[in-house]
C-alpha cells in the first residue's frame, strides 16, 4: 500500500463540505478517497444499499412463479415486495441524510 504523507488543504463553505461528505458516503468512500478519485478524474459511483438487491431478488422470484401461484400467494409476494422497496428507500434516504432515522 502506498504511503500518503502529503496533505493538501482547501477552503470550502460548510454547505460544500456537507455535500462532499454526503457524496463520499453514498459512494462508500472516505472523504479523502472520494476527493482524491474526483481530482484524479477517476469514476466514482454511488453504491446501492443491500436492500435494493433484496427487492430485485424478490421481483425475480415473483416473475418466475406468478403464473403458477395462487392469487393469495401473489398478493402476499407483492406486499412483501412493496415493503422491501419502501425499506430500501428509507435506507437510501437515511444514508443520504447521514441519519439512521427513516424518512418522514
Amino acid at each position: 500500500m502506498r504511503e500518503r504523507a502529503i496533505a493538501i488543504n482547501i477552503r470550502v463553505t460548510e454547505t460544500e463540505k456537507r455535500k462532499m461528505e454526503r457524496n463520499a458516503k453514498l459512494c462508500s468512500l472516505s472523504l479523502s478517497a472520494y476527493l482524491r478519485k474526483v481530482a484524479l478524474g477517476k469514476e466514482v459511483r454511488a453504491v446501492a444499499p443491500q436492500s435494493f438487491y433484496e427487492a430485485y431478488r424478490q421481483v425475480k422470484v415473483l416473475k418466475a412463479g406468478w403464473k403458477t401461484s395462487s392469487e393469495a400467494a401473489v398478493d402476499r409476494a407483492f406486499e412483501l415486495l412493496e415493503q422491501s422497496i419502501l425499506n430500501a428507500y428509507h435506507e437510501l434516504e437515511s444514508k443520504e441524510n447521514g441519519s439512521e432515522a427513516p424518512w418522514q
Side-chain angles (χ1 to χ4, degrees):
M1 181 173 215
R2 286 185 274 165
E3 182 180 321
R4 293 189 171 100
I6 307 298
I8 298 174
N9 296 311
I10 61 170
R11 300 217 180 266
V12 296
T13 66
E14 186 63 36
T15 301
E16 291 170 330
K17 181 182 179 206
R18 281 195 307 268
K19 186 174 181 179
M20 287 183 245
E21 288 172 334
R22 187 189 83 231
N23 289 343
K25 188 173 184 179
L26 288 172
C27 296
S28 295
L29 295 170
S30 68
L31 181 57
S32 292
Y34 174 78
L35 292 174
R36 197 168 31 253
K37 284 180 178 272
V38 169
L40 294 173
K42 296 182 179 177
E43 184 177 2
V44 292
R45 289 187 179 180
V47 177
Q50 187 62 34
S51 51
F52 275 99
Y53 298 105
E54 178 57 35
Y56 175 74
R57 282 190 289 277
Q58 288 177 334
V59 167
K60 297 287 281 182
V61 168
L62 185 58
K63 181 183 175 191
W66 75 274
K67 289 182 181 180
T68 58
S69 298
S70 69
E71 187 176 333
V74 172
D75 285 345
R76 180 68 184 136
F78 270 114
E79 289 172 7
L80 292 172
L81 178 58
E82 180 183 23
Q83 188 59 51
S84 292
I85 291 170
L86 187 59
N87 288 342
Y89 178 75
H90 288 296
E91 187 177 339
L92 182 61
E93 194 71 19
S94 68
K95 189 175 181 182
E96 285 181 352
N97 294 330
S99 70
E100 297 303 319
W103 177 78
Q104 298 294 320

